[in-house]
Each structure stands twice: as structure tokens, then as C-alpha cells.
């Protein structure tokens, strides 16, 4: 892993990497990336976990990421954003990630077809 991160930093001239995973391996990879001079975006991947276990894992990753952030100010970002909409149960209805993505896609298509302005008497927001 160290060799790959060094190639990313030196040969590809990247300044940061996004690391996706869970637990100790994710944090170890982040620490190694920081040691090679890269900034890190840490994105926990905790698909299909029940909410109590999910929160426990996120808490552990957040604590470790905060420790790294204190050691390397301005070079560590914890990402817990949009990907959770389809990968984590309970945010968008559906038993599996694939089905949640289908629902998100259908919802997006419905919104794109919604009439705005003109004949409906509605005005688009300013």
C-alpha cells in the first residue's frame, strides 16, 4: 500500500487521495498516505449495517479521523455525505443498495418532468 501511495504522490503528482473502507485498515491507509505527503479524504464504507452498529462504526472512524486531523492540520477530511443515501439502510426506503438507487433515480426523473412556470401559474424560485 505504501508503494502505491508513493507512486500516486510522486509519479502522478496528486496532492490527496480518497480512501474508502472501514475500521483499522482505513485508518492505517490514511496514516500511510499522510506520511507520504498526501492529504486524505476518509470515507467510511458501512453498507447494510443496522443503525446501532452503523453509528458505532462511524463513531470509531470519526474519533480516529479527528486524531489524524489534529496531527496533520488541514490535510484530513472525513466524508459522510451523499453516498450514505443509497448505501445505508433507513435514509432512502429499500432493503438493498441497488433498490435504493433505483428509487433515487426514479425520484430524480419525476422531478425533472415536473412543469415549472408558464401554463401552471407557478413561477420558478428566485
Amino acid at each position: 500500500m505504501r508503494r502505491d501511495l508513493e507512486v500516486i504522490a510522486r509519479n502522478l503528482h496528486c496532492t490527496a487521495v480518497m480512501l474508502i473502507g472501514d475500521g483499522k485498515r482505513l485508518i492505517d491507509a490514511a496514516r500511510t498516505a499522510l506520511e507520504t505527503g498526501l492529504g486524505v479524504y476518509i470515507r467510511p464504507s458501512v453498507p447494510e449495517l443496522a443503525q446501532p452498529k452503523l453509528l458505532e462504526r462511524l463513531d470509531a472512524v470519526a474519533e480516529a479521523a479527528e486524531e489524524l486531523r489534529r496531527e496533520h492540520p488541514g490535510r484530513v477530511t472525513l466524508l459522510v455525505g451523499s453516498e450514505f443515501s443509497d448505501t445505508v439502510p433507513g435514509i432512502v426506503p429499500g432493503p438493498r443498495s441497488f433498490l435504493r438507487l433505483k428509487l433515487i433515480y426514479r425520484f430524480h426523473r419525476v422531478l425533472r418532468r415536473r412543469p415549472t412556470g408558464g401554463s401552471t401559474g407557478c413561477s420558478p424560485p428566485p
Side-chain angles (χ1 to χ4, degrees):
M1 172 182 46
R2 178 177 296 279
R3 172 85 173 106
D4 290 343
L5 290 167
E6 288 172 350
V7 167
I8 290 168
R10 311 276 184 287
N11 297 20
L12 299 177
H13 307 288
C14 294
T15 58
V17 290
M18 180 187 299
L19 302 169
I20 303 170
D22 189 25
K24 184 175 176 353
R25 289 186 65 190
L26 175 62
I27 299 305
D28 288 347
R31 187 174 304 283
T32 301
L34 290 162
E35 289 169 359
T36 65
L38 292 164
V40 295
Y41 292 87
I42 299 171
R43 186 169 89 71
S45 177
V46 288
E48 310 302 333
L49 288 179
Q51 192 173 28
K53 193 68 167 171
L54 166 73
L55 295 175
E56 180 183 306
R57 295 259 186 98
L58 286 179
D59 186 51
V61 170
E63 284 183 26
E66 175 60 15
E67 181 181 320
L68 289 175
R69 188 196 64 77
R70 277 192 230 116
E71 294 170 12
H72 305 274
R75 296 178 52 211
V76 177
T77 302
L78 177 63
L79 301 172
V80 288
S82 62
E83 292 86 358
F84 277 63
S85 298
D86 74 288
T87 60
V88 175
I91 296 174
V92 172
R96 294 187 315 278
S97 180
F98 175 73
L99 296 173
R100 292 189 289 269
L101 281 172
K102 281 179 68 173
L103 180 62
I104 290 168
Y105 176 72
R106 285 182 184 155
F107 185 66
H108 174 72
R109 286 181 48 198
V110 167
L111 288 177
R112 285 182 44 202
R113 283 193 237 152
R114 188 180 75 200
T116 58
S119 62
T120 63
C122 299
S123 299

